[in-house]
Amino acid sequence: MRTSLRPWRAAATALATVLLVGSVAACGNSDTGGDAGSGSDKLVLGFSQVGAESGWRTANTTSIKEAAAEAGIELKFDDAQQKQENQIKAIRNYIQQKVDVIAFSPVVESGWDTVLKEAKDAGIPVILTDRAVDSADKSLYKTFLGSDFVKEGRLSGEWLVENKKSATGPVNIVELQGTTGSAPANDRKKGFAEAIAANPNLKIVASQSGDFTRAGGKQVMEQFLRANPKIDVLFAHNDDMGLGALEAITAAGKTPGKDITIITIDAVKDGMQALADGKFNFIAECSPLLGPQLMDLAKKVHAGEEVPPRIETEETTFTPEQAKEALPNRKY
Ligand code: AHR
């Protein structure tokens, strides 16, 4: 959809692209490849997804694919399998292909400056979705679209402070963190710790990453249960880790939601079902339905329009009663 090349150059470009796409597919998992200049007049968006680690992520991928089709945008999609090096390769591939806009959800916060500068030098606007980067140079990307993760952690902590306000002795909390170095893990931890500081009885006695997966949540919770005879509260940085932890808690002969108060983040259907069933006690919502807003932003930045530097998603919280009400209409 861009420049017209002489036949031999077009053939050489196509061959180089095939080789490049092959190398990205070998480390990540690409749905689409080829040269962005292959004849379509559609806006071409290269998207690098973190992976498929959670129910949230699956819903996010679906939202992005459906919204691209709806908006008439040609989507090139790569699944990085939770590896930063795969995301960097995918972004370089999109630069080589001269896509119109690049968007990605950065698996971790640090280490993006070089590749973002390469995109900027190539004149390709970049949109961050879901997770932010810690680059000091904000001109390396056009905007960030996603959640306020610190707020999600804070709302979780504030609910716990209220729920345990009559506790007279220590309340032992274990924390299942998300992927080490990721924005949601860093920010949710921070927001939660700040909120629970209001009650000195509330103490985090163990905190470890379960990598946002069910298997990770189960495995780390088993370790927590072995090492800590008294666990009163579990704060899991997402539903999936909380759901994995349920298995470990039940296997240890304890009743989730009663013997151990469980707080999670996301509010995907499985998490909401656990909340409605009384196995979880509270969920702070994190919406994965970013696709339509992302497509709108992609069109705007491609047209050279100004966009706000940060666009936050509107979110809420759920108690078991609220989960029961919301479940029938839950989309993800
Ligand atoms: O970045 C958003 C987080 O990533 C979600 O809370 C989690 O489920 C996902 O894996």
Side-chain angles (χ1 to χ4, degrees), residues 61-89:
T61 293
T62 303
S63 171
I64 287 164
K65 288 184 174 175
E66 285 179 359
E70 180 90 355
I73 287 178
E74 183 181 331
L75 179 70
K76 292 178 177 290
F77 183 91
D78 184 81
D79 172 343
Q81 297 169 10
Q82 287 198 275
K83 291 198 173 72
Q84 183 175 32
E85 73 249 34
N86 289 348
Q87 288 202 293
I88 291 174
K89 279 180 187 153

Side-chain angles (χ1 to χ4, degrees), residues 76-132:
K76 292 178 177 290
F77 183 91
D78 184 81
D79 172 343
Q81 297 169 10
Q82 287 198 275
K83 291 198 173 72
Q84 183 175 32
E85 73 249 34
N86 289 348
Q87 288 202 293
I88 291 174
K89 279 180 187 153
I91 293 167
R92 291 204 165 119
N93 185 33
Y94 295 144
I95 296 170
Q96 285 282 332
Q97 292 181 54
K98 298 186 169 69
V99 300
D100 296 308
V101 180
I102 292 172
F104 76 116
S105 174
V107 60
V108 289
E109 281 189 284
S110 302
W112 301 101
D113 287 24
T114 305
V115 74
L116 286 176
K117 180 137 190 340
E118 289 167 24
K120 189 179 176 190
D121 291 346
I124 302 176
V126 172
I127 300 172
L128 305 177
T129 77
D130 162 37
R131 298 183 182 181

